[in-house]
């Protein structure tokens, strides 16, 4: 749907076919309820163009989700996390960098609607690693299958290697 609007809905989070159990994960899941439904705009190439319902999201956060979290979660750590999430929601319309830091949205909004000479194209993209808090750049090749899938779709494979920079010059590079 290049150049259009998409709406995302999210239900429960499952890890290895089990509901999340850790309190920190449950807090994060409950906080993310304010985000959905999420309406996004796309550029003509399929890349992310912006959040269309930012005011609604902030309103859900302030009037519904945040008060429930403040009431349920107590303690210094919970308060710190809730304040960080609050700052993120307050910046939502100006800075939607969380879209790039979310693995699903980062991959979903790759600019794939373009010309593929010989069924492939080379392109750089970045991937966020939360544990290390880094955004790593990759030199990737986007390759289209020459045959349609059984469901009459075009399949794409993305392969690449971490781009070399000053910090990773002498170490093994990551692959996608």
């Amino acid at each position: 749907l290049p150049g259009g609007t998409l709406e995302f809905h999210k239900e429960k989070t499952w890890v290895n076919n089990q509901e999340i159990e850790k309190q920190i994960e449950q807090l994060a899941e409950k906080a993310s309820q304010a985000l959905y439904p999420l309406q996004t705009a796309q550029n003509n190439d399929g890349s992310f163009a912006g959040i269309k319902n930012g005011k609604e999201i902030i309103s859900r956060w302030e009037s519904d989700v945040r008060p429930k979290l403040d009431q349920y979660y107590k303690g210094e750590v919970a308060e710190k996390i809730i304040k960080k999430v609050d700052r993120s929601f307050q910046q939502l319309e100006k800075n939607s960098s969380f879209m790039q830091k979310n693995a699903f949205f980062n991959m979903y909004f790759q600019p794939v609607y373009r010309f593929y000479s010989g069924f492939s194209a080379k392109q750089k993209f970045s991937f966020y690693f939360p544990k290390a808090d880094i955004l790593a750049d990759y030199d990737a090749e986007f390759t289209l299958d020459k045959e349609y899938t059984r469901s009459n779709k075009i399949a794409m494979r993305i392969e690449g290697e971490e781009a070399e920079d000053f910090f990773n010059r002498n170490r093994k590079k990551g692959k996608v």
Side-chain angles (χ1 to χ4, degrees), residues 36-158:
Y36 299 97
L38 170 67
Q39 295 174 348
T40 63
Q42 282 183 280
N43 294 311
N44 286 333
D45 64 1
S47 61
F48 176 75
I51 294 173
K52 292 187 116 179
N53 64 334
K55 285 182 181 23
E56 287 176 36
I57 292 168
I58 293 168
S59 177
R60 281 194 295 268
W61 168 252
E62 290 174 342
S63 65
D64 183 39
V65 177
R66 168 107 196 229
K68 287 178 183 173
L69 293 178
D70 285 338
Q71 186 177 2
Y72 185 81
Y73 292 97
K74 302 293 181 197
E76 191 177 320
V77 173
E79 288 173 17
K80 272 178 133 174
I81 292 169
I82 292 169
K83 280 183 184 175
K84 271 188 172 182
V85 172
D86 185 60
R87 279 194 302 274
S88 295
F89 277 116
Q90 298 308 325
Q91 296 291 317
L92 187 65
E93 291 186 292
K94 294 179 217 146
N95 179 8
S96 51
S97 65
F98 81 91
M99 297 294 280
Q100 189 177 32
K101 291 181 175 183
N102 179 292
F104 170 78
F105 289 120
N106 188 356
M107 293 305 291
Y108 190 90
F109 286 109
Q110 288 298 312
V112 297
Y113 298 105
R114 52 187 288 186
F115 179 71
Y116 289 88
S117 174
F119 293 92
S120 72
K122 293 188 186 282
Q123 177 177 312
K124 279 195 181 287
F125 77 92
S126 299
F127 201 82
Y128 179 71
F129 294 93
K131 267 200 165 181
D133 194 28
I134 61 166
L135 197 60
D137 292 324
Y138 285 82
D139 295 317
E141 183 166 10
F142 291 59
T143 307
L144 302 176
D145 282 353
K146 294 178 182 174
E147 305 284 328
Y148 286 99
T149 64
R150 283 182 290 202
S151 58
N152 213 24
K153 305 278 192 269
I154 297 173
M156 174 183 285
R157 185 175 39 259
I158 302 173

